[in-house]
Amino acid sequence: MSSGSHKIGLVLEGGAMRGMFTAGVTDVFMENGIGFDGAVGVSAGATFGCNYKSRQIGRTFRYNMRFAGDKRYCSISSLLKTGDIYNADFCYNRIPNELDPFDYKTFAENPMEFYIVASDAVTGLPVYRKLETCDEGELIWMRASASMPLVSRPVKIDGYTLLDGGMTDSIPLKFFQSIGYTKNVVILTQPHGYVKEKNKTLPLVRIVLRKYPKLVDAMAHRHEIYNLQTAYVFSEEVAGRALVLCPDGPLGISRTEKDRNELERVYQAGRAVAARRLNEVLSFITPASSQKSQA
C-alpha cells in the first residue's frame, strides 16, 4: 500500500473472456492479502475487477462457470431480442442482486478507489468514472465500459453516449499515473510481444456506428494506439514504475466463450502466473522503508 503521497495502483486490461486470466490473478492477490490504493478497469477488467474492491474471492470464476452456457447470460437470442449479446438485465441486475449477490456494503466501505473506462461515442475519447457504491446508477457505467461494439447497444447516461472502454483506452496506465498513482501493477490479457493488427471488422463498424464518426476513427487507429500503450507499459516496468503480469502465451479463448473447461483453463493460467510472481508483487508494492525495517 501507499507511503505518503505515493499511491500504488492496479491496472486491469479488458478482453472479454480473456478476463478470466485476470480473475485468476486477482483471486491469488486477495488470498494473499495484497491490497492497492486504487484500481482502474476496462471492459471485463471493470466488470470482473469490481470483485476485488468487494473482496469476493472466486465470485468471477463462480458465476461465469455457472452461467457460461445460459442463454440469459450471453447468446445470439439475447442480441436479437435486446441488442446486447450479454443480456443487460441478467448480467447487471439478476446476477448481482439475486443469483450470486454482489457485496455492495464491502465495496462501498473499502477505501480502495475504483475507476472504470468507457468510450464517448460522440467525441471518440475515453471517459473515466470513479465508482463509489456500485449501485444501480453506477452499474450502468460498468455496463457501458463492457459494451462491445457491434454486439451491444450504446449506453446513454449523464449526457454521454458510451461504448466499450477498450475502444479508446485499452490499458489506462497513463491515466492512473496522471492522478497520482506512481507505482502500478498492470495485468494484461495478451502475452508479452503481442502486436495488435488492424480491426478486420472495421468496414462493418463504419456502417453500424456511422452516426459516430469520431468513434469510428478511434477504432480505425486502435491497433496503433494499443501497440504504443503496450510498449509504454513495458518501458515503465524497465524504469521500475510498473510491474506487468501477462499470460505466458496467447490464451486462445473466444470473447464469448461458453466452454467451462476453457474458462477454467484460462482462470488457472492467471492463478499460475500470480503464484509464480507473488514475491515480486509483494516486493514491488512494499515501501522501501518497510523492507528495511523487516531486514
Side-chain angles (χ1 to χ4, degrees):
M1 295 290 281
S2 65
S3 175
S5 61
H6 298 289
K7 295 192 293 184
I8 299 174
L10 178 64
V11 179
L12 307 172
E13 183 185 7
M17 283 305 162
R18 293 201 313 271
M20 294 299 288
F21 174 87
T22 302
V25 174
T26 55
D27 276 354
V28 170
F29 283 3
M30 286 191 281
E31 289 164 3
N32 287 275
I34 294 175
F36 296 87
D37 297 301
V40 56
V42 182
S43 195
T47 57
F48 296 170
C50 63
N51 295 297
Y52 202 108
K53 183 169 165 64
S54 65
R55 298 191 174 110
Q56 291 179 274
I57 299 170
R59 181 173 180 268
T60 298
F61 177 73
R62 185 172 62 241
Y63 74 71
N64 275 287
M65 292 294 282
R66 180 179 175 186
F67 299 115
D70 194 318
K71 290 183 179 180
R72 297 172 299 171
Y73 183 48
C74 175
S75 64
I76 295 299
S77 63
S78 174
L79 177 62
L80 294 175
K81 290 176 182 178
T82 71
D84 296 303
I85 195 165
Y86 282 93
N87 185 277
D89 180 67
F90 191 77
C91 293
Y92 299 98
N93 175 24
R94 293 207 59 202
I95 289 178
N97 295 320
E98 301 170 23
L99 301 171
D100 196 325
F102 183 74
D103 191 340
Y104 296 98
K105 184 175 184 293
T106 297
F107 184 95
E109 293 177 351
N110 185 345
M112 183 183 83
E113 296 183 316
F114 189 79
Y115 291 82
I116 63 93
V117 186
S119 296
D120 187 326
V122 176
T123 66
L125 298 173
V127 178
Y128 307 96
R129 176 79 173 195
K130 183 179 178 181
L131 303 188
E132 304 276 6
T133 62
C134 234
D135 62 10
E136 184 178 357
E138 292 192 341
L139 277 174
I140 298 174
W141 280 89
M142 190 86 72
R143 176 161 67 91
S145 180
S147 291
M148 298 185 291
L150 303 182
V151 292
S152 306
R153 294 169 294 167
V155 175
K156 296 182 182 295
I157 182 172
D158 295 349
Y160 290 101
T161 299
L162 303 169
L163 278 168
D164 195 310
M167 300 168 75
T168 54
D169 193 353
S170 298
I171 311 168
L173 175 58
K174 285 188 176 181
F175 161 70
F176 238 29
Q177 291 175 329
S178 75
I179 61 171
Y181 285 86
T182 56
K183 296 186 74 175
N184 293 277
V185 173
V186 182
I187 303 178
L188 302 180
T189 58
Q190 297 284 14
H192 192 182
Y194 170 78
V195 176
K196 184 176 285 297
E197 298 180 353
K198 192 171 183 177
N199 192 329
K200 294 178 181 178
T201 67
L202 196 57
L204 184 57
V205 169
R206 292 189 189 279
I207 295 170
V208 175
L209 298 179
R210 60 189 177 278
K211 289 168 53 179
Y212 310 111
K214 290 185 178 179
L215 187 61
V216 171
D217 187 60
M219 282 291 286
H221 296 282
R222 186 191 173 203
H223 62 296
E224 299 165 357
I225 301 301
Y226 182 88
N227 293 332
L228 289 172
Q229 284 187 317
T230 54
Y232 178 74
V233 166
F234 285 106
S235 71
E236 287 296 279
E237 184 172 51
V238 171
R241 293 185 289 266
L243 182 68
V244 185
L245 276 70
C246 60
D248 295 327
L251 291 174
I253 189 170
S254 165
R255 295 178 67 82
T256 56
E257 187 63 64
K258 294 177 174 58
D259 186 331
R260 291 176 176 84
N261 291 327
E262 283 296 284
L263 295 173
E264 181 164 12
R265 174 184 65 80
V266 172
Y267 173 77
Q268 293 296 342
R271 290 190 62 91
V273 169
R276 187 175 73 232
R277 301 191 62 191
L278 191 60
N279 287 337
E280 282 182 77
V281 175
L282 289 167
S283 179
F284 179 77
I285 68 173
T286 302
S289 58
S290 297
Q291 293 181 30
K292 289 178 182 178
S293 64
Q294 294 169 7

